Amino acid sequence: MAAPVALIQGSSRGLGLEFCRHILRNRASAAVLATCRDPEGAAELRGLEAQHPGRLTVLRLDVSREEDIRGAALRVKESFGRLDLIVNSSAMLHPSGRGETSLRDVSAEGIISTLTTNTVGPLVMAKYFAPLLQKGGGGFGQQPVEKPKQHSGLIVNITAKVGSIGDNGLGGWYSYRMSKAALNMATRNLSIELGRGRPKVVCVSLHPGTVSTDLSRPYHKNVPTDKLFSTEHSVNCLMSLIDALNMEKTGKAYNWDGAELPW
């Protein structure tokens, strides 16, 4: 089997950067493509690239710009010709950095901006990168024993439990909740379209838990210590789930501990 190729969208910090570290550390032969809006300003990512010459490639990509996504897909096609895994990691809570607590905090601009990054971006990523995932070698996920290969690639959208309509009992955070609920619908739609025929692509939404990142930092004081995860712990859990994915699990949302989340 050819060496697996993974693309992590939103890799300059937080979960995205840790996904790059994890795969480079634990998949000796894997190639990692790391995207971010400003590669020159991503010091940690550039440092990681220097530590793994030839294995980590940094690509400029602003997920809110379709032309950036199209161009990155063309580069990946020319350099690798295929993909085995995409993780859509970048997200914003709200342009202000804080979720809306009531209707008076809601603005059209804030909602549109949040939806563009959290929902539209991952869907457009799928549009341009799905053909490369359909050419993947199935290097991530779980293939059946002594049976034809079930899937060629995986799309993993990082969601949030607050995007679950069935789990919402508190309200608030209009933009973020709506963007993640819509992302879950996109995941479901993608799983149906990309699950038809062969080759198939597995599509799931994964909730990483409450992780100590810039996005969640304003709310750390409200989170019990044992419920606030490091990026390393969260990604370890999520990669265990990714390694166990197959076509039976496509089109669903899962918690970091493997429990299926209600839509």
Side-chain angles (χ1 to χ4, degrees), residues 149-162:
K149 183 178 69 175
Q150 272 196 336
H151 67 267
S152 57
L154 310 175
I155 293 176
V156 173
N157 291 324
I158 300 300
T159 189
K161 196 174 181 181
V162 296

Side-chain angles (χ1 to χ4, degrees), residues 111-243:
I111 292 173
I112 290 168
S113 181
T114 307
L115 283 166
T116 297
T117 295
N118 296 359
T119 310
V120 179
L123 182 58
V124 178
M125 287 286 295
K127 172 183 175 180
Y128 288 101
F129 284 98
L132 295 173
L133 288 164
Q134 290 170 329
K135 296 178 181 177
F140 291 89
Q142 192 175 69
Q143 299 288 358
V145 178
E146 296 180 356
K147 290 183 180 179
K149 183 178 69 175
Q150 272 196 336
H151 67 267
S152 57
L154 310 175
I155 293 176
V156 173
N157 291 324
I158 300 300
T159 189
K161 196 174 181 181
V162 296
S164 167
I165 295 173
D167 187 69
N168 183 6
L170 295 175
W173 288 25
Y174 283 90
S175 298
Y176 191 65
R177 286 185 187 274
M178 289 167 62
S179 71
K180 292 301 188 178
L183 177 64
N184 291 341
M185 178 60 82
T187 299
R188 182 70 168 182
N189 257 27
L190 287 168
S191 73
I192 294 169
E193 180 168 353
L194 299 179
R196 297 184 181 124
R198 290 186 182 278
K200 300 178 186 296
V201 176
V202 174
C203 307
V204 297
S205 291
L206 298 183
H207 169 54
T210 302
V211 186
S212 182
T213 63
D214 291 343
L215 186 148
S216 65
R217 189 155 290 117
Y219 303 94
H220 285 181
K221 66 181 180 180
N222 300 321
V223 181
T225 304
D226 63 336
K227 298 294 185 183
L228 183 62
F229 297 161
S230 67
T231 55
E232 183 175 6
H233 175 73
S234 178
V235 169
N236 282 340
C237 294
L238 295 179
M239 283 303 303
S240 293
L241 297 182
I242 289 169
D243 286 336

Side-chain angles (χ1 to χ4, degrees), residues 76-94:
V76 175
K77 180 180 179 180
E78 292 172 346
S79 299
F80 295 90
R82 61 186 175 82
L83 272 179
D84 295 279
L85 169 69
I86 283 183
V87 178
N88 283 304
S89 178
S90 68
M92 68 160 62
L93 182 60
H94 186 269

Side-chain angles (χ1 to χ4, degrees), residues 23-76:
I23 295 171
L24 290 167
R25 183 171 59 243
N26 294 282
R27 299 292 182 97
S29 63
V32 178
L33 305 164
T35 79
C36 64
R37 288 181 298 175
D38 179 21
E40 287 75 23
E44 287 188 83
L45 184 58
R46 283 299 189 187
L48 193 62
E49 184 182 35
Q51 293 170 30
H52 299 275
R55 291 190 60 206
L56 177 63
T57 303
V58 178
L59 299 174
R60 183 185 302 277
L61 189 156
D62 182 339
V63 77
S64 69
R65 294 170 54 87
E66 185 166 356
E67 58 268 33
D68 279 15
I69 298 173
R70 184 191 300 112
L74 183 59
R75 285 191 60 187
V76 175

